[in-house]
């Protein structure tokens, strides 16, 4: 998929809220409310559909939202809203603003090859996670999974988005 047609998952529908068709949203954006900047969300995978953000509110425990259904009309029924639970929320990659210099969207790092500063292959980025202190690259090299802190400077020496290559001060036997 090219960047122009690729979608980036930014959250998911976690549950229903009330009886008027609203849903609870888990946002993967920082801060969580940034998800509300996108008025059109794609719900679900390839069989999903574009849903308009009809109304939303940031609350202490997260975000609640009213979305439109496949017909474009606001969902006002709890049972219909319940069918959305578990669906990913994504937006077209082209809708995201450019990342600041030296910063990267997680979705753009996935699929990059990672090598050590001695040019030893460490694996391919298959995912990202947070450990409370920093972001962590999840790499797969055959049957081996590696977790490498994404700390630019001391550990991550360079990220080449054109070559899709990351160089890390890391050894295969760490």
């Amino acid at each position: 998929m090219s960047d122009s047609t690729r979608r980036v998952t930014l959250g998911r529908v976690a549950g229903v809220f009330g009886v008027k068709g609203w849903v609870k949203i888990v946002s993967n954006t920082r801060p969580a409310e940034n998800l509300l900047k996108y008025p059109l969300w794609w719900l679900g995978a390839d069989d999903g559909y574009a849903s308009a953000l009809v109304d939303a509110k940031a609350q202490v425990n997260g975000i609640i939202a009213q979305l439109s259904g496949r017909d474009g009309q606001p969902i006002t029924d709890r049972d219909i809203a319940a069918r959305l639970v578990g669906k990913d929320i994504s937006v077209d990659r082209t809708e995201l603003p450019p990342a600041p210099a030296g910063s990267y969207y997680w979705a753009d790092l996935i699929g990059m090859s990672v090598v050590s500063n001695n040019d030893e292959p460490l694996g391919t980025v298959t995912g990202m996670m947070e450990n409370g202190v920093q972001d962590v690259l999840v790499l797969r090299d055959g049957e081996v999974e590696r977790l490498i802190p994404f700390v630019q400077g001391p550990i991550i020496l360079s990220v080449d988005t054109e070559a899709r290559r990351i160089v890390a001060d890391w050894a295969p036997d760490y």
Side-chain angles (χ1 to χ4, degrees), residues 77-91:
D77 182 281
R78 179 183 175 92
D79 292 335
I80 294 171
R83 295 181 202 150
L84 302 178
V85 175
K87 300 257 187 226
D88 284 338
I89 298 167
S90 59
V91 299

Side-chain angles (χ1 to χ4, degrees), residues 13-14 23 43 49 67-68 75 80-88:
V13 179
V23 291
L43 298 177
Y49 68 96
L67 304 174
S68 67
I75 296 172
I80 294 171
R83 295 181 202 150
L84 302 178
V85 175
K87 300 257 187 226
D88 284 338

Side-chain angles (χ1 to χ4, degrees), residues 17-18 20 22-27 32-38 41 53-67:
F17 181 85
K20 296 183 178 180
W22 285 57
V23 291
K24 297 176 189 176
I25 304 295
V26 172
S27 174
E33 296 81 26
N34 278 354
L35 182 59
L36 302 179
K37 293 179 180 179
Y38 304 97
W41 295 352
L53 182 59
V54 176
D55 198 2
K57 296 176 183 157
Q59 297 188 322
V60 174
N61 294 332
I63 296 171
I64 59 170
Q66 183 182 35
L67 304 174

Side-chain angles (χ1 to χ4, degrees), residues 7 47 53 56 113 115 123 126 135 145 154:
R7 293 190 188 125
D47 63 338
L53 182 59
S113 63
V115 297
T126 59
D135 297 336
E145 181 179 80

Side-chain angles (χ1 to χ4, degrees), residues 10 16 18-19 30 43 50 53 64 68 74 92 111 133 139 142 146 153:
L10 297 181
V16 293
V19 295
R30 292 183 201 154
L43 298 177
L53 182 59
I64 59 170
S68 67
D92 288 334
V133 178
L139 308 182
R146 290 188 177 86

Side-chain angles (χ1 to χ4, degrees), residues 114-123 139 141 144-148 168-174:
V114 182
V115 297
S116 73
N117 51 338
N118 294 325
D119 208 31
E120 301 165 292
L122 298 172
L139 308 182
D141 182 18
V144 176
E145 181 179 80
R146 290 188 177 86
L147 303 177
I148 299 178
D169 187 3
W170 206 260
D173 58 351
Y174 285 179

